[in-house]
């Protein structure tokens, strides 16, 4: 399952965003450039443009979220769309309605775009394969498969701080095994030309044959982050762990926690990122999370512009119409 086959319409335009696998460098750069143009919207007195006026966006989150759901909602509203958040716990899903029946009913209300998060991999793809041609789907995180808009906002944040990707050394540190974010980050960063991309984790949290993804695996944190420009810390996804993959939280922090002393091994101007939610004292020390090299909250802010860009590209007028 990649989702790549149904992401584009017959004219080659992006119809859904389900995965970054197979997305061209040109399309990714188009999204990042468009996001750059939306940053100023968030800094104005009136934070709104009329690009998606009259469109209806439905946030369909079957798994908890703070950042993604809220920034999608803000992004849709800043584009002047009507945004509805379905309260899944209070919906008919709790009475046994199937997911596809829920989608069909919401579609009957003339929804233009579904933003879908689900704990199972492949659900956004399932929804996208059942909606009619004029309805669009964005994957807001499915199981451990993909989180494309998170990885795009991470790439956007890196570009804002470091400009070119080619000569960057980037280390992704933590629970790679369960991380949809890391999978999508690897796809976007390799497509954008990062040549030295490392994943750093205990052996139990590294997928088998991870090097085939175009990354260098490290099981020693010190070696993995030495001299890097960017450190991306990942959350330990305990809700997805079956069995004991780490000896204890304390031991994990002792070996893989990002502390000020360890951060000093990276370049002096290295930036520290984390998709959130962060577990202070488990994967990252508060001094690092709140320190001068942390861009964690900028990632959140940038998420609005990047999600505006993705929605505008999928749902808005064509590029010609936007620029004309
Ligand atoms: N980064 C991320 O997906 O955070 P949320 O789970 O809060 O949306």
């Amino acid at each position: 399952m990649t989702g790549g086959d149904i992401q584009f319409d017959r004219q080659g335009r992006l119809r859904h965003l389900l995965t970054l696998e197979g997305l061209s460098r040109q399309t990714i750069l188009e999204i990042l450039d468009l996001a750059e143009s939306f940053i100023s919207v968030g800094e104005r007195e009136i934070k709104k443009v009329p690009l998606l006026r009259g469109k209806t966006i439905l946030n369909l989150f079957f798994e908890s979220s703070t950042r993604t759901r809220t920034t999608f909602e803000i992004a849709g509203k800043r584009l002047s769309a009507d945004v509805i958040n379905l309260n899944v716990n209070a919906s008919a899903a709790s009475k046994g309605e199937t997911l596809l029946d829920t989608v069909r009913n919401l579609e009957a209300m003339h929804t233009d775009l579904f933003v879908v998060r689900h704990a199972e991999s492949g659900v956004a793809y399932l929804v996208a394969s059942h909606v009619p041609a004029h309805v669009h789907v964005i994957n807001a995180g499915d199981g451990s498969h993909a989180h494309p808009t998170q990885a795009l906002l991470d790439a956007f944040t890196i570009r804002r701080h470091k400009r070119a990707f080619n000569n960057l050394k980037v280390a992704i540190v933590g629970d790679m095994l369960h991380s949809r974010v890391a999978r999508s980050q690897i796809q976007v960063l390799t497509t954008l030309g990062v040549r030295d991309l490392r994943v750093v984790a205990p052996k139990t949290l590294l997928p088998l044959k991870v090097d085939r993804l175009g990354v260098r695996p490290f099981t020693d944190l010190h070696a993995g982050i030495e001299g890097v420009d960017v450190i991306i810390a990942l959350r330990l996804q305990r809700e997805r762990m079956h069995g004991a993959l780490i000896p204890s939280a304390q031991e994990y922090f002792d070996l893989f926690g990002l502390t000020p002393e360890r951060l000093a091994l990276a370049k002096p101007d290295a930036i520290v990122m984390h998709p959130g939610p962060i577990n202070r004292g488990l994967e990252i020390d508060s001094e690092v999370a709140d320190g001068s090299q942390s861009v964690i909250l900028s990632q959140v802010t940038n998420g609005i512009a990047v999600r505006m860009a993705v929605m505008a590209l999928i749902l808005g007028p064509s590029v010609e119409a936007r620029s004309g």
Side-chain angles (χ1 to χ4, degrees), residues 61 64-69 117 140 147 150 180-181 275-277:
F61 278 58
S64 58
S65 166
T66 297
R67 284 144 289 270
T68 313
R69 195 197 62 71
R117 166 169 291 192
H147 196 347
Q150 177 68 47
R180 57 195 177 205
V181 172

Side-chain angles (χ1 to χ4, degrees), residues 38-51 73-81 301 304 308:
F38 285 136
I39 285 286
S40 63
V41 176
E43 293 163 353
R44 292 183 201 157
E45 179 92 11
I46 298 179
K47 302 175 179 57
K48 247 187 190 344
V49 287
L51 214 56
E73 180 177 353
I74 294 172
K77 287 179 172 167
R78 286 194 183 161
L79 291 168
S80 304
T301 309
I304 299 172
M308 285 171 79

Side-chain angles (χ1 to χ4, degrees), residues 7 13 21 23-24 51 56 90 101 104-105 113 149 169-170 173 178 183 189 205 212 237 243 258 271 275 298:
Q7 287 200 121
R13 286 182 305 235
E21 194 179 347
L23 219 64
S24 69
L51 214 56
T56 301
D101 278 332
R104 281 189 195 106
N105 279 271
L113 168 69
T149 58
K169 297 183 199 312
V170 179
V173 180
H178 302 98
R183 278 172 186 72
L189 293 176
L205 293 179
R212 288 192 183 169
Q237 314 229 340
L258 194 56
I271 56 170
S298 301

